[in-house]
Amino acid sequence: MGASKRGGDCIPPPDLLPVLFERLNDVFFRSSADGRLDWLSPNVSKLLGYTADELIGTSAHRLYVRPDDRVALLKAALEAKGAAVEMEVEQRRKDGATIWSLISVCAVTKPSGEFAGIQGMVRDITDLWLTRKTLEDSEDRFRRLSDVATEAICIHFEGKIIDFNRAFETLFRYSREEFLSMWAWDVIDPRDIPRAKEMVRLQYEDPYEVRGLRKDGSIFPMEIYSKHSKMGEKSVRVTSIRDLTQRKQAEETVRLLSQAVEQSPVGVMVVDGAGMVQYVNSAHAEISHHPVETVVGRPLVQMFPAKARGVVEEMWRTLSGGGDWRGEVQSQAKGGPSSWLQVRASRVATPGEDATHFLIVMEDVTVRKEQERRLQHQALFDGLTDLPNRTQALDRLSHDIETARDADRKVALLFVDLDEFKSINDSLGHEYGDELLVLASERLRRAAGSGAMVARFGGDEFLVIMGDIEGAAAAEVVAAAIVEEFSSPFGISRRDLIATASIGLAIYPDDGRTPQTLLRNADTAMYQAKLGGRNRYCFFTARMNEEAESRLRIEGELRRAVGTEQLFLHYQPLVEVRTGRVLGMEALLRWKNPELGAMPPDRFIPQAETSGLIVPIGRMVLNSACLAARRWVDAGFGDVRVCVNVSPRQFQDAGFLGDVRAALGATELPAANLELEITEGLLLAERGEVDVLLHALGDMGVHLSIDDFGTGYSSLSYLERYPFDTLKIDRSFMVGMLERQERKVLVETIVAMASGLGLKVIAEGVETTEQLAHLDAINCDIAQGYLFSRPIPEAEVMALLERGFSV
């Protein structure tokens, strides 16, 4: 088992080889042409549980979980004609347990050229195999981790490349744009394309070798490991490609057992009793990033950076005391990258010598450590904002509560919700929504300061946890700072977007003694802040629980009421100011519940809006109103319109236009007899689909009215832009109109403006003859209010239509 010197390599003394064979984790072997083992290194017992004597003379097939793997390995070795080949196989230990092994072998031939057997080495890769298997099972982890993998990875559908990692670009040297127009076969030597296509056809999922083809025309050996997977509905293949160029060059020496240690994939170092390095194998240089010539003859401690000296000194003390040592050491050569090494060290007794030597075996586990770090980070932090996630936040809250309990201090929990996030996300797209969340998280960090934890709870909800505080005043300062931070627009893609924050505050122990109670009460306070007008903060009070329970009860009863006679319509007339003729009836929703009694609309309609129940309720109102209007038309009142209020949530529902068509079609009501009342707030969003829908309704012949005009940020631009027929002045303008000059002027201005734009004007809330007379004087078209009639059941409408009103 002689060794030769090569370049600056150091070859171990011959008398150390038996010790190295015994101490290394890699097992070396030789088998005869009939498959019987005729030599194994002594350390086989560590790997498989058998002694070398137990295995010598037996068939190698017994060690394979799948004997076909042995056949495939032998076939590959024969086809390689003396070159080294490798294969990952599952093997069975003496105790029945299975492991995954990486076997590197080459065929041995007699001088006559006759096949004499194979020889090579076996390495335990169970941990690596399990890690890889876990990563392959998760497409999300592939997206996050593939770009840190050293192996080239690509996904192709029916041979067309659809995705890949950076290592794939580096390996084949094409740009990303070039790859996305290529086929998987374009990176394979044309001589091997038939084989690769056959492997895909057979759904072959074990590694195999072909020749790769780079952009510059260079050919190199590579290993393909390809598996079938699903991407949505597509059946794709995920392919891992490893460049075998360097390894092929190194494996040429595997045939010579005397150089087995030199070719070991793990770093091997022999140190004398004085701590001086006597030998390192070539793998050591790759792992430690120290060239061989800079290591041999130097103290062991100098091979590691200063931050690892303590660990190295501990290892040396253990070895000097006669013990074995195992651990992880951070390594970094001068000017080189930092890496993590798994180190195993033990004392060696050299036969025939009194000198003491130590064997140190090291393996680079940087990728595993980085994967572990990333997985741990993913488990505790939000992937978009990099804030602590819900899990970490609740752990922190529990810890702060326990600490506060022992120290008689307080903990504040702030529940933060972005007020306009949903409309921005829905109208502008998820890219804007994601960017808004990132910018919002940065503002929250600034407002909260270094003493608090800011976490993303989910969606557009955030938590701010403040531990070890004296009282609520400190939390109020942070809440006010958050409101101030969110008062400025967010600049996203040259757009200034307004997204304020509503904040609920709960204090331990005043508002709860458990994380769950504090969270629930802070959420309740946040909801109250939204009800109060948004863009504000609100402390939790006991009364909020009662209101929250009341809202839940109303919502539950309202869900049961949908589709029943509990929900019904009343109608209020729209009267022509000049003549007193009834021009239309506004449909007004009413609810009478057996348990709750008659519920006012301003109590249950906002609840229906927030819960989404307004969509089916609105559909019922539309159908019932159209059916009633059809009966009025049939009775001879062909010009009477029915006016139906449409909530923003209902209007934005994808099926709304179809609901209008269905209601008109089912009742055969002319579209001109239906008027839809839409609030200003919906128009101010300036969303493209609003524009399309309004014009579609106008094209159908449906009349459109702006409800509650003047109560929001009114804009004259949409009066010209959209096909409106009517403008409704909110009832609040009627109160004190004759007594307050500024209100009187506002009403006169609105009427004059609408008339100039060709719009009819309806004045709501008319209750006195004096108000009606003034409306007539300023040429207001239509009036509505208690002066004429309160809302009435449908059964009373016909008599009212026949009677009209005298003015």
Side-chain angles (χ1 to χ4, degrees):
M1 300 176 65
S4 62
K5 291 190 176 180
R6 187 186 55 189
D9 296 345
C10 294
I11 304 302
D15 51 3
L16 281 179
L17 286 178
V19 175
L20 295 178
F21 282 140
E22 182 176 349
R23 295 306 179 98
L24 287 173
N25 285 337
D26 293 341
V27 173
F28 300 90
F29 72 94
R30 184 175 60 232
S31 64
S32 61
D34 61 358
R36 296 188 177 277
L37 297 165
D38 56 19
W39 182 87
L40 297 103
S41 55
N43 56 350
V44 68
S45 59
K46 295 180 183 178
L47 185 71
L48 297 173
Y50 294 97
T51 66
D53 291 340
E54 288 178 306
L55 292 175
I56 290 175
T58 65
S59 173
H61 283 79
R62 62 185 293 196
L63 302 178
Y64 290 77
V65 172
R66 288 173 290 277
D68 287 348
D69 288 348
R70 161 71 179 177
V71 175
L73 181 63
L74 181 60
K75 181 180 178 183
L78 289 171
E79 291 176 349
K81 300 185 184 303
V85 297
E86 78 173 20
M87 180 179 290
E88 293 180 6
V89 301
E90 191 174 11
Q91 292 189 296
R92 194 178 306 283
R93 289 172 46 88
K94 183 177 180 180
D95 59 7
T98 62
I99 62 171
W100 278 92
S101 302
L102 176 66
I103 300 181
S104 298
V105 300
C106 59
V108 178
T109 58
K110 296 178 182 180
S112 62
E114 181 183 355
F115 174 63
I118 60 173
Q119 59 187 12
M121 67 178 183
V122 183
R123 182 182 182 190
D124 186 350
I125 60 166
T126 302
D127 290 343
L128 176 62
W129 190 92
L130 291 175
T131 300
R132 186 174 65 195
K133 181 67 169 65
T134 301
L135 293 177
E136 289 175 346
D137 288 342
S138 171
E139 180 179 350
D140 180 63
R141 290 176 181 168
F142 167 78
R143 298 301 306 160
R144 296 177 182 275
L145 299 177
S146 64
D147 278 344
V148 301
T150 57
E151 293 184 351
I153 300 171
C154 78
I155 301 174
H156 53 92
F157 173 63
E158 297 180 352
K160 188 74 171 63
I161 295 175
I162 59 176
D163 207 355
F164 46 89
N165 66 350
R166 290 193 183 95
F168 195 81
E169 294 180 67
T170 303
L171 181 60
F172 294 103
R173 303 170 187 172
Y174 287 93
S175 68
R176 183 170 188 84
E177 292 72 22
E178 289 173 321
F179 269 128
L180 293 177
S181 65
M182 293 170 59
W183 297 83
W185 327 119
D186 294 339
V187 297
I188 298 176
D189 188 297
R191 293 169 291 180
D192 292 335
I193 289 177
R195 184 183 183 210
K197 288 186 174 181
E198 181 65 8
M199 292 300 188
V200 172
R201 188 188 69 79
L202 295 174
Q203 299 284 311
Y204 190 77
E205 294 190 348
D206 287 326
Y208 62 95
E209 293 183 18
V210 294
R211 285 161 289 195
L213 179 63
R214 294 190 178 95
K215 181 179 180 179
D216 61 7
S218 60
I219 295 174
F220 65 98
M222 66 183 190
E223 179 187 75
I224 291 180
Y225 181 71
S226 184
K227 293 198 69 173
H228 171 267
S229 185
K230 296 287 287 185
M231 180 178 288
E233 299 298 320
K234 289 184 177 180
S235 178
V236 301
R237 289 190 75 82
V238 179
T239 299
S240 171
I241 297 177
R242 185 185 304 173
D243 184 355
L244 302 180
T245 304
Q246 294 182 357
R247 193 181 66 199
K248 285 288 187 180
Q249 294 169 354
E251 285 176 350
E252 290 298 321
T253 59
V254 173
R255 292 180 299 167
L256 304 174
L257 293 178
S258 62
Q259 294 182 328
V261 174
E262 178 63 23
Q263 299 303 319
S264 175
V266 297
V268 178
M269 178 185 292
V270 177
V271 181
D272 66 15
M276 304 297 290
V277 179
Q278 287 194 333
Y279 162 77
V280 292
N281 69 345
S282 55
H284 176 274
E286 182 180 352
I287 292 172
S288 67
H289 306 291
H290 288 286
V292 174
E293 59 271 16
T294 67
V295 176
V296 175
R298 297 180 61 187
L300 169 66
V301 71
Q302 294 184 9
M303 300 301 103
F304 297 91
K307 57 187 174 184
R309 295 286 169 83
V311 178
V312 177
E313 289 171 358
E314 175 198 337
M315 176 180 69
W316 188 249
R317 285 194 298 271
T318 302
L319 293 174
S320 300
D324 294 342
W325 189 89
R326 179 171 181 163
E328 292 180 350
V329 182
Q330 195 168 10
S331 175
Q332 185 174 19
K334 185 177 180 180
S338 177
S339 61
W340 279 95
L341 306 178
Q342 186 178 73
V343 178
R344 296 178 295 276
S346 58
R347 184 173 179 173
V348 230
T350 306
E353 293 187 11
D354 296 331
T356 300
H357 291 85
F358 300 96
L359 177 66
I360 301 176
V361 179
M362 58 187 64
E363 185 175 359
D364 190 337
V365 292
T366 305
V367 173
R368 177 174 62 79
K369 293 284 286 187
E370 177 63 16
Q371 289 170 352
E372 290 173 354
R373 187 196 67 77
R374 286 175 176 268
L375 291 173
Q376 185 178 24
H377 189 83
Q378 291 169 17
L380 297 175
F381 289 85
D382 174 57
L384 177 65
T385 63
D386 205 36
L387 289 176
N389 62 12
R390 178 195 298 245
T391 300
Q392 188 177 174
L394 294 180
D395 287 345
R396 168 68 177 269
L397 183 59
S398 298
H399 176 268
D400 284 356
I401 287 175
E402 291 177 6
T403 303
R405 183 184 299 119
D406 296 337
D408 195 25
R409 301 279 284 177
K410 293 184 183 293
V411 178
L413 177 63
L414 286 68
F415 198 111
V416 184
D417 183 271
L418 305 188
D419 294 325
E420 286 80 19
F421 176 77
K422 187 178 187 303
S423 62
I424 292 173
N425 198 54
D426 290 348
S427 61
L428 300 179
H430 295 298
E431 297 83 2
Y432 280 80
D434 288 349
E435 182 66 17
L436 175 60
L437 291 174
V438 172
L439 296 177
S441 68
E442 294 172 357
R443 294 192 184 186
L444 286 172
R445 284 193 185 103
R446 284 198 300 268
S450 59
M453 170 188 273
V454 179
R456 185 181 179 194
F457 191 65
D460 62 336
E461 297 173 338
F462 298 85
L463 301 180
V464 179
I465 302 169
M466 302 174 62
D468 192 30
I469 60 174
E470 291 186 4
E476 186 169 12
V477 170
V478 171
I482 294 173
V483 172
E484 178 64 23
E485 281 281 355
F486 280 73
S487 63
S488 302
F490 289 84
I492 303 176
S493 296
R494 296 196 296 273
R495 284 177 178 258
D496 286 339
L497 303 178
I498 301 296
T500 55
S502 296
I503 308 164
L505 297 92
I507 308 296
Y508 167 88
D510 307 345
D511 302 326
R513 295 180 176 272
T514 67
Q516 293 75 20
T517 304
L518 280 180
L519 189 62
R520 182 178 65 250
N521 291 342
D523 185 23
T524 299
M526 182 275 294
Y527 185 83
Q528 196 66 33
K530 283 191 177 292
L531 291 180
R534 304 185 175 192
N535 191 28
R536 65 189 62 211
Y537 60 87
C538 185
F539 280 92
F540 174 78
T541 64
R543 184 177 178 181
M544 291 180 186
N545 265 340
E546 298 174 3
E547 294 175 350
E549 291 174 2
S550 175
R551 288 195 301 271
L552 288 174
R553 185 182 181 192
I554 289 174
E555 182 177 335
E557 291 295 333
L558 190 57
R559 288 185 183 279
R560 285 187 282 273
V562 175
T564 71
E565 294 182 355
Q566 290 184 34
L567 293 170
F568 53 92
L569 297 181
H570 277 182
Y571 298 89
Q572 190 173 33
L574 305 176
V575 180
E576 188 173 36
V577 173
R578 184 173 52 83
T579 65
R581 184 166 61 96
V582 177
L583 300 180
M585 305 295 293
E586 180 177 5
L588 300 169
L589 181 63
R590 297 294 182 261
W591 178 27
K592 187 172 184 180
N593 180 266
E595 299 292 331
L596 303 176
M599 294 292 295
D602 61 356
R603 184 78 185 278
F604 72 85
I605 288 180
Q607 192 78 2
E609 182 80 22
T610 57
S611 66
L613 290 173
I614 197 67
V615 174
I617 291 175
R619 189 181 300 119
M620 180 272 290
V621 170
L622 186 63
N623 290 331
S624 299
C626 287
L627 187 60
R630 177 72 249 182
R631 286 192 279 265
W632 304 333
V633 171
D634 291 343
F637 299 97
D639 294 334
V640 173
R641 298 179 191 168
V642 64
C643 301
V644 178
N645 288 279
V646 180
S647 82
R649 184 78 173 266
Q650 181 186 5
F651 190 85
Q652 293 167 7
D653 183 72
F656 176 67
L657 188 61
D659 291 341
V660 175
R661 289 196 178 102
L664 293 174
T667 60
E668 297 183 353
L669 179 70
N673 289 88
L674 174 63
E675 182 166 287
L676 299 179
E677 297 184 2
I678 297 163
T679 59
E680 281 187 284
L682 186 67
L683 306 175
L684 295 175
E686 295 188 2
R687 294 167 57 176
E689 61 267 28
V690 172
D691 194 328
V692 172
L693 189 52
L694 287 175
H695 281 91
L697 291 168
D699 293 342
M700 288 169 57
V702 174
H703 289 269
L704 297 174
S705 171
I706 303 173
D707 196 15
D708 300 334
F709 183 82
T711 59
Y713 298 97
S714 301
S715 171
L716 299 181
S717 63
Y718 63 69
L719 294 178
E720 181 182 19
R721 177 177 174 182
Y722 298 123
F724 286 105
D725 303 281
T726 310
L727 185 153
K728 249 191 174 185
I729 302 177
D730 186 68
R731 69 182 67 250
S732 61
F733 286 90
M734 293 296 105
V735 179
M737 176 185 67
L738 301 180
E739 293 78 17
R740 297 176 59 180
Q741 180 63 21
E742 68 276 10
R743 188 160 293 181
K744 184 179 179 182
V745 170
L746 279 174
V747 173
E748 293 172 355
T749 302
I750 293 172
V751 172
M753 175 194 67
S755 177
L757 293 173
L759 301 177
K760 297 289 186 180
V761 179
I762 300 175
E764 288 185 306
V766 178
E767 298 185 357
T768 68
T769 55
E770 291 79 10
Q771 290 173 336
L772 182 63
H774 182 70
L775 292 173
D776 187 22
I778 64 175
N779 296 318
C780 180
D781 302 288
I782 304 168
Q784 176 183 359
Y786 286 177
L787 175 63
F788 304 107
S789 172
R790 290 179 175 273
I792 58 176
E794 184 189 344
E796 301 176 19
V797 169
M798 200 68 70
L800 189 149
L801 291 175
E802 292 171 348
R803 183 179 75 247
F805 298 95
S806 60
V807 294

